[in-house]
Amino acid sequence: MSTRNRSPLLLAVLVAALAVTGQALLVPLFAAPAANLAPRDLPVAVAGPAPAVAETVRRLAAARPGAFSLTTLPDAEAADRALRDREVYGAFVIGADGVALHTASAASPTVAALLTEAAGQLGGGRPVAVVEMVPTTPDDPRGAGFAAGFLPLAMTSLLAGALLVLLVAGGLARLVGLAATGVLAGLVGVVVLHGWLGVIAGDWLAEGAAIGLFALAASAVVAGLGALLGRPGIGLGALLVFLIGNPLSAVGAAPELLPQPWGALGQWLPVGAGGTLLRSVAFFDGAGAGRPIVVLAGYAVVGLALVLVASRIHPDASTTNRR
């Protein structure tokens, strides 16, 4: 067999080996967080008379060591305020009739179900009243639509950033394209998720702004890296936004349910920050939105700056012509 014939065969085997190596890395990256969901320092409140609160805290800590980060509050009113401010995921409220669980399913239906199970253990076999303070929407009671609907936002934003690098020459044109991506993604996203599917239920303008900021951040970081580094930069952006960012985002669960430090890290990546921001504006009147806004704005600014820098280094040249 000649060298000319062996080279394509060797390349084919190397490509297959590379693909399978990627598979071996990506499968656990996506599957491991989902397979190891469990509460880890989950913020939960216990409210009521001091002696009863102390006993409940002791029982919760003994039943599930390390599962909950427990805050004690004086009464149900303070507990409900903490729920609406996104300070806790649930509150065990102790009253004359025993323990009641106040939940905010909109923060995470998975966590609400987990806390309901824990409340049943506290009740000693007796039913525990569950009071929903911040519910999901009637059209998406389990929150599955929210999580599934956020994934296409990430994919299309990534695609927009890549296409702007591959098909559009010139820094100014790319900046205009990124701005258009943010505005249009916000408009279309809120119409589909709120108006059509009914999976979010907040202020339309705030929801549209949250979706638009996320789309701008995700597309800008991909475009910026791609404009500066060429096709390898697009791959790096895709890794950051989707291949790593998506499984660590906890959009369908909660960061405190993922193994640490991965749950916390995911909130510093675009998808995790975007999901948290949209939940905050859609269900909690913006409570807890500060950090994700800063994170997303940081990615957007860095991405836009990289596009400008690349336009100075490679003036009026598209990536397809350079690499």
Side-chain angles (χ1 to χ4, degrees), residues 4 17 58 82 101 109 118 190 207 264 304:
R4 180 176 296 179
R58 185 194 66 77
L101 173 64
V190 74
E207 291 169 346
L304 295 173

Side-chain angles (χ1 to χ4, degrees), residues 86 106 146 274-290 292:
R86 298 205 73 180
F146 181 97
T276 298
L277 176 59
L278 186 56
R279 281 195 190 278
S280 291
V281 301
F283 299 106
F284 295 90
D285 294 326

Side-chain angles (χ1 to χ4, degrees), residues 123-308:
R126 293 175 297 176
V128 173
V130 178
V131 182
E132 183 61 77
M133 300 307 303
V134 189
T136 55
T137 66
D139 291 324
D140 187 30
R142 295 180 179 85
F146 181 97
F150 201 83
L151 178 60
L153 298 179
M155 296 174 65
T156 53
S157 299
L158 189 161
L159 179 62
L163 290 178
L164 284 170
V165 173
L166 294 172
L167 303 179
V168 177
L172 179 59
R174 287 170 177 169
L175 292 178
V176 171
L178 290 170
T181 296
V183 172
L184 294 175
L187 289 173
V188 174
V190 74
V191 167
V192 173
L193 292 176
H194 189 141
W196 181 9
L197 300 178
V199 301
I200 52 178
D203 178 78
W204 284 64
L205 182 60
E207 291 169 346
I211 295 170
L213 177 59
F214 165 70
L216 176 61
S219 59
V221 75
V222 173
L225 290 170
L228 191 64
L229 303 176
R231 287 182 173 84
I234 295 175
L236 181 60
L239 187 71
L240 185 68
V241 171
F242 187 74
L243 295 179
I244 294 178
N246 186 62
L248 300 185
S249 67
V251 170
E256 294 84 359
L257 297 186
L258 297 183
Q260 296 303 326
W262 307 117
L265 174 62
Q267 295 303 296
W268 292 97
L269 298 175
V271 179
T276 298
L277 176 59
L278 186 56
R279 281 195 190 278
S280 291
V281 301
F283 299 106
F284 295 90
D285 294 326
R291 188 175 75 172
I293 287 176
V294 171
V295 170
L296 292 174
Y299 278 105
V301 169
V302 169
L304 295 173
L306 289 178
V307 170
L308 285 174

Side-chain angles (χ1 to χ4, degrees), residues 78-90:
D80 293 344
R81 185 164 55 249
L83 282 167
R84 294 192 180 97
D85 290 342
R86 298 205 73 180
E87 296 173 359
V88 296
Y89 284 92

